[in-house]
Amino acid sequence: MTTQIDEVTTLSVMSADGTPIGAHVSGSGRPLVLLHGASSDSSAWRMAAAWLQPHVRVVRVDRRGRGLSGDRSEYTIDAEYDDAVAVVDAAAQAYGGPVDLLGHSHGGNVAFGAALRTKNIRRLVLYEGWPPPNPEHRRFPADLYTTLEELATTRPADMLRVFLRDCAGLSADELAQLEAAPSWPARVATAPTVPREVRAFGHCDFDPGTAAAISVPTMLLVGSASTDEVKADPEIVAAAMPDARIHVLDGQTHMAHLAAPEEFATAVVEFLRD
Protein backbone atom coordinates (compact mmCIF):
# COMPACT_ATOMS: atom_id res chain seq x y z
CA MET A 1 0.00 0.00 0.00
CA THR A 2 1.32 3.44 -0.92
CA THR A 3 0.66 6.29 1.48
CA GLN A 4 1.47 9.95 1.30
CA ILE A 5 0.95 13.15 3.24
CA ASP A 6 -1.54 15.40 1.44
CA GLU A 7 -2.48 19.06 1.73
CA VAL A 8 0.21 20.04 4.20
CA THR A 9 -0.16 23.51 5.71
CA THR A 10 1.88 25.20 8.39
CA LEU A 11 1.19 26.59 11.84
CA SER A 12 3.28 29.24 13.58
CA VAL A 13 2.95 30.30 17.22
CA MET A 14 4.99 32.41 19.61
CA SER A 15 6.42 30.71 22.68
CA ALA A 16 6.57 32.36 26.10
CA ASP A 17 10.13 33.64 25.55
CA GLY A 18 9.31 35.12 22.13
CA THR A 19 10.71 32.24 20.07
CA PRO A 20 8.60 31.35 17.01
CA ILE A 21 7.62 27.67 16.89
CA GLY A 22 6.40 26.16 13.63
CA ALA A 23 4.62 22.95 12.67
CA HIS A 24 3.44 21.10 9.57
CA VAL A 25 -0.28 20.23 9.58
CA SER A 26 -2.10 17.56 7.57
CA GLY A 27 -5.23 15.43 7.86
CA SER A 28 -8.49 16.35 9.54
CA GLY A 29 -10.29 15.87 12.84
CA ARG A 30 -9.03 16.33 16.38
CA PRO A 31 -5.40 17.56 16.34
CA LEU A 32 -2.61 15.23 17.43
CA VAL A 33 0.52 17.26 18.22
CA LEU A 34 3.75 15.33 17.59
CA LEU A 35 7.07 16.14 19.28
CA HIS A 36 10.11 14.47 17.74
CA GLY A 37 13.19 13.29 19.59
CA ALA A 38 16.77 14.56 19.53
CA SER A 39 18.80 14.33 16.31
CA SER A 40 15.69 14.80 14.18
CA ASP A 41 13.05 17.29 13.11
CA SER A 42 9.40 17.13 12.12
CA SER A 43 10.27 15.05 9.05
CA ALA A 44 10.92 12.08 11.38
CA TRP A 45 7.13 11.70 11.61
CA ARG A 46 6.40 11.65 7.87
CA MET A 47 6.02 7.87 7.56
CA ALA A 48 3.85 7.53 10.66
CA ALA A 49 1.86 10.65 9.73
CA ALA A 50 0.77 9.01 6.50
CA TRP A 51 -0.99 6.33 8.58
CA LEU A 52 -2.24 8.74 11.23
CA GLN A 53 -3.75 11.46 9.08
CA PRO A 54 -6.81 9.50 7.89
CA HIS A 55 -7.90 9.51 11.54
CA VAL A 56 -6.56 12.73 13.10
CA ARG A 57 -5.23 16.15 12.17
CA VAL A 58 -1.47 15.66 12.42
CA VAL A 59 0.55 18.60 13.78
CA ARG A 60 4.25 17.82 13.31
CA VAL A 61 6.21 20.32 15.37
CA ASP A 62 9.75 21.42 14.56
CA ARG A 63 11.18 21.75 18.05
CA ARG A 64 13.26 24.88 18.65
CA GLY A 65 16.44 25.12 16.64
CA ARG A 66 15.06 23.27 13.64
CA GLY A 67 13.06 23.77 10.46
CA LEU A 68 10.18 26.20 10.86
CA SER A 69 11.13 27.15 14.43
CA GLY A 70 13.47 29.74 15.84
CA ASP A 71 15.99 29.37 18.66
CA ARG A 72 17.75 31.15 21.51
CA SER A 73 21.43 31.02 22.43
CA GLU A 74 20.57 29.88 25.96
CA TYR A 75 18.73 26.56 26.17
CA THR A 76 16.47 25.31 28.95
CA ILE A 77 14.06 22.43 28.86
CA ASP A 78 11.47 24.66 30.55
CA ALA A 79 11.44 26.75 27.39
CA GLU A 80 10.65 23.59 25.43
CA TYR A 81 7.73 22.87 27.75
CA ASP A 82 6.41 26.33 26.92
CA ASP A 83 6.93 25.71 23.20
CA ALA A 84 4.78 22.59 23.35
CA VAL A 85 2.13 24.35 25.39
CA ALA A 86 1.97 27.20 22.86
CA VAL A 87 1.30 24.73 20.02
CA VAL A 88 -1.19 22.67 22.04
CA ASP A 89 -3.13 25.75 23.13
CA ALA A 90 -3.23 27.15 19.59
CA ALA A 91 -4.40 23.81 18.18
CA ALA A 92 -7.05 23.54 20.90
CA GLN A 93 -8.32 27.03 20.19
CA ALA A 94 -8.55 26.28 16.47
CA TYR A 95 -10.28 22.94 17.09
CA GLY A 96 -12.59 24.19 19.82
CA GLY A 97 -11.57 21.74 22.53
CA PRO A 98 -8.68 19.76 24.08
CA VAL A 99 -6.27 17.99 21.72
CA ASP A 100 -3.92 15.01 21.95
CA LEU A 101 -0.14 15.12 22.45
CA LEU A 102 2.50 12.54 21.51
CA GLY A 103 6.21 12.78 22.24
CA HIS A 104 9.09 10.48 21.32
CA SER A 105 12.32 10.18 23.31
CA HIS A 106 13.40 13.71 24.29
CA GLY A 107 10.14 14.92 22.78
CA GLY A 108 8.35 12.61 25.23
CA ASN A 109 10.14 14.25 28.11
CA VAL A 110 9.03 17.61 26.76
CA ALA A 111 5.44 16.35 26.42
CA PHE A 112 5.53 15.09 30.02
CA GLY A 113 6.53 18.55 31.25
CA ALA A 114 4.05 20.33 29.00
CA ALA A 115 1.18 18.20 30.34
CA LEU A 116 1.66 19.92 33.70
CA ARG A 117 1.26 23.39 32.17
CA THR A 118 -1.93 23.28 30.12
CA LYS A 119 -5.50 22.03 30.48
CA ASN A 120 -5.85 21.63 26.72
CA ILE A 121 -4.51 18.06 26.51
CA ARG A 122 -7.13 15.33 26.19
CA ARG A 123 -4.84 12.30 25.89
CA LEU A 124 -1.08 11.90 26.19
CA VAL A 125 1.19 9.37 24.44
CA LEU A 126 4.82 9.00 25.49
CA TYR A 127 7.08 6.79 23.39
CA GLU A 128 10.13 5.87 25.46
CA GLY A 129 10.41 9.43 26.72
CA TRP A 130 9.76 10.46 30.35
CA PRO A 131 11.86 11.40 33.38
CA PRO A 132 13.58 8.11 34.30
CA PRO A 133 12.97 6.57 37.76
CA ASN A 134 16.59 5.41 37.67
CA PRO A 135 18.62 8.57 36.97
CA GLU A 136 21.57 6.50 35.78
CA HIS A 137 19.53 5.49 32.74
CA ARG A 138 19.89 9.03 31.40
CA ARG A 139 23.21 10.14 32.80
CA PHE A 140 26.34 9.41 30.85
CA PRO A 141 30.09 9.70 31.54
CA ALA A 142 31.38 13.26 31.55
CA ASP A 143 33.69 12.55 28.65
CA LEU A 144 30.72 11.52 26.49
CA TYR A 145 29.15 14.96 26.89
CA THR A 146 32.49 16.53 25.97
CA THR A 147 32.83 14.28 22.93
CA LEU A 148 29.33 15.16 21.71
CA GLU A 149 29.95 18.88 22.11
CA GLU A 150 33.30 18.74 20.28
CA LEU A 151 32.03 16.61 17.41
CA ALA A 152 28.82 18.62 16.97
CA THR A 153 30.73 21.49 15.38
CA THR A 154 33.62 19.63 13.75
CA ARG A 155 32.25 16.25 12.64
CA PRO A 156 28.45 16.35 13.06
CA ALA A 157 27.78 13.03 11.32
CA ASP A 158 30.21 11.27 13.65
CA MET A 159 28.57 12.98 16.62
CA LEU A 160 25.20 11.57 15.56
CA ARG A 161 26.67 8.09 15.31
CA VAL A 162 28.06 8.34 18.85
CA PHE A 163 24.77 9.74 20.19
CA LEU A 164 22.54 7.17 18.49
CA ARG A 165 24.76 4.28 19.54
CA ASP A 166 25.76 5.27 23.08
CA CYS A 167 22.74 7.33 24.19
CA ALA A 168 19.76 6.10 22.16
CA GLY A 169 20.90 2.47 22.19
CA LEU A 170 20.58 1.80 18.47
CA SER A 171 22.13 -1.36 17.07
CA ALA A 172 24.65 -1.29 14.24
CA ASP A 173 21.95 -2.40 11.80
CA GLU A 174 19.50 0.29 12.95
CA LEU A 175 22.20 2.94 12.67
CA ALA A 176 23.10 1.78 9.16
CA GLN A 177 19.45 2.00 8.13
CA LEU A 178 19.19 5.56 9.45
CA GLU A 179 22.35 6.59 7.59
CA ALA A 180 20.96 5.14 4.37
CA ALA A 181 17.63 6.93 4.73
CA PRO A 182 16.88 10.16 2.82
CA SER A 183 16.39 11.93 6.15
CA TRP A 184 20.02 11.45 7.25
CA PRO A 185 21.22 14.89 6.00
CA ALA A 186 18.39 16.54 7.95
CA ARG A 187 19.52 14.65 11.05
CA VAL A 188 23.08 15.85 10.55
CA ALA A 189 21.77 19.41 10.35
CA THR A 190 20.33 19.05 13.87
CA ALA A 191 23.75 18.22 15.36
CA PRO A 192 24.23 21.53 17.24
CA THR A 193 21.03 20.95 19.23
CA VAL A 194 21.82 17.41 20.39
CA PRO A 195 24.41 17.90 23.19
CA ARG A 196 22.27 20.47 25.02
CA GLU A 197 19.26 18.15 24.94
CA VAL A 198 21.30 15.18 26.18
CA ARG A 199 22.46 17.29 29.14
CA ALA A 200 18.94 18.51 29.88
CA PHE A 201 17.40 15.04 29.65
CA GLY A 202 20.06 13.72 32.02
CA HIS A 203 18.93 16.09 34.76
CA CYS A 204 15.20 15.39 34.60
CA ASP A 205 14.66 12.93 37.43
CA PHE A 206 11.40 11.14 38.01
CA ASP A 207 9.18 12.43 40.83
CA PRO A 208 6.08 10.33 41.66
CA GLY A 209 4.25 13.40 42.96
CA THR A 210 4.80 15.24 39.69
CA ALA A 211 3.66 12.21 37.70
CA ALA A 212 0.54 11.97 39.86
CA ALA A 213 -0.42 15.49 38.79
CA ILE A 214 -0.83 14.36 35.15
CA SER A 215 -4.44 13.22 35.28
CA VAL A 216 -5.19 12.84 31.57
CA PRO A 217 -5.33 9.30 30.13
CA THR A 218 -1.77 8.39 29.17
CA MET A 219 -0.21 5.60 27.12
CA LEU A 220 3.44 4.68 27.57
CA LEU A 221 4.74 3.09 24.36
CA VAL A 222 7.68 0.72 24.73
CA GLY A 223 9.57 -1.41 22.23
CA SER A 224 9.95 -4.99 23.45
CA ALA A 225 13.49 -5.10 22.03
CA SER A 226 14.62 -1.78 23.51
CA THR A 227 17.33 -1.80 26.16
CA ASP A 228 16.40 -1.41 29.82
CA GLU A 229 18.04 2.02 29.83
CA VAL A 230 15.85 3.23 26.96
CA LYS A 231 12.69 1.63 28.37
CA ALA A 232 13.35 3.50 31.63
CA ASP A 233 11.05 1.53 33.97
CA PRO A 234 7.62 2.23 32.43
CA GLU A 235 5.92 0.16 35.15
CA ILE A 236 7.10 2.57 37.83
CA VAL A 237 6.01 5.59 35.80
CA ALA A 238 2.58 4.14 34.98
CA ALA A 239 1.97 3.16 38.61
CA ALA A 240 2.53 6.75 39.73
CA MET A 241 0.08 8.25 37.22
CA PRO A 242 -3.68 8.28 37.87
CA ASP A 243 -4.68 6.94 34.44
CA ALA A 244 -1.75 5.37 32.58
CA ARG A 245 -1.30 2.17 30.64
CA ILE A 246 1.66 0.52 28.92
CA HIS A 247 1.56 -0.68 25.32
CA VAL A 248 4.42 -2.87 24.11
CA LEU A 249 5.38 -2.77 20.44
CA ASP A 250 6.44 -6.35 19.86
CA GLY A 251 9.84 -6.77 18.22
CA GLN A 252 10.45 -3.02 18.02
CA THR A 253 13.07 -0.78 19.57
CA HIS A 254 13.35 3.00 19.84
CA MET A 255 12.47 3.77 16.21
CA ALA A 256 9.16 1.99 15.59
CA HIS A 257 7.67 5.11 13.98
CA LEU A 258 10.29 4.59 11.24
CA ALA A 259 10.68 0.80 11.22
CA ALA A 260 6.99 -0.10 11.59
CA PRO A 261 4.94 3.08 11.02
CA GLU A 262 1.64 1.30 10.38
CA GLU A 263 1.90 -0.73 13.59
CA PHE A 264 2.96 2.37 15.49
CA ALA A 265 0.09 4.45 14.14
CA THR A 266 -2.45 1.70 14.80
CA ALA A 267 -1.48 1.55 18.48
CA VAL A 268 -1.75 5.33 18.78
CA VAL A 269 -5.10 5.60 16.99
CA GLU A 270 -6.64 2.78 19.02
CA PHE A 271 -5.65 4.52 22.23
CA LEU A 272 -6.99 7.87 21.08
CA ARG A 273 -10.29 6.23 20.14
CA ASP A 274 -10.59 4.24 23.40
Side-chain angles (χ1 to χ4, degrees), residues 33 70 74 87 89 104 119 191 196 240 251 265 269:
V33 177
E74 181 179 350
V87 176
D89 288 351
H104 169 236
K119 300 296 185 182
R196 69 189 191 184
V269 170

Side-chain angles (χ1 to χ4, degrees), residues 222-240:
V222 179
S224 67
S226 292
T227 65
D228 289 342
E229 290 79 10
V230 172
K231 289 178 181 175
D233 301 307
E235 296 84 3
I236 295 176
V237 177

Side-chain angles (χ1 to χ4, degrees), residues 142-254:
D143 60 346
L144 178 59
Y145 294 110
T146 302
T147 297
L148 293 177
E149 288 166 347
E150 291 176 349
L151 292 177
T153 56
T154 59
R155 291 152 50 199
D158 286 340
M159 187 280 294
L160 284 186
R161 295 182 183 101
V162 172
F163 164 73
L164 292 168
R165 183 190 65 223
D166 297 344
C167 299
L170 267 63
S171 68
D173 286 345
E174 289 174 317
L175 182 53
Q177 290 172 8
L178 277 187
E179 289 192 57
S183 60
W184 181 251
R187 287 184 178 275
V188 174
T190 71
T193 67
V194 172
R196 69 189 191 184
E197 293 180 3
V198 174
R199 285 190 180 277
F201 206 1
H203 290 87
C204 293
D205 295 339
F206 180 71
D207 174 54
T210 300
I214 300 177
S215 59
V216 298
T218 301
M219 179 169 70
L220 308 182
L221 277 175
V222 179
S224 67
S226 292
T227 65
D228 289 342
E229 290 79 10
V230 172
K231 289 178 181 175
D233 301 307
E235 296 84 3
I236 295 176
V237 177
M241 303 178 77
D243 188 359
R245 69 199 71 179
I246 298 170
H247 182 92
V248 178
L249 297 166
D250 190 41
Q252 298 301 320
T253 58
H254 198 54

Side-chain angles (χ1 to χ4, degrees), residues 111-128:
F112 184 96
L116 297 162
R117 300 189 176 199
T118 178
K119 300 296 185 182
N120 283 321
I121 297 173
R122 185 189 71 112
R123 296 205 168 201
L124 178 66
V125 181
L126 305 176
Y127 176 27
E128 293 183 343

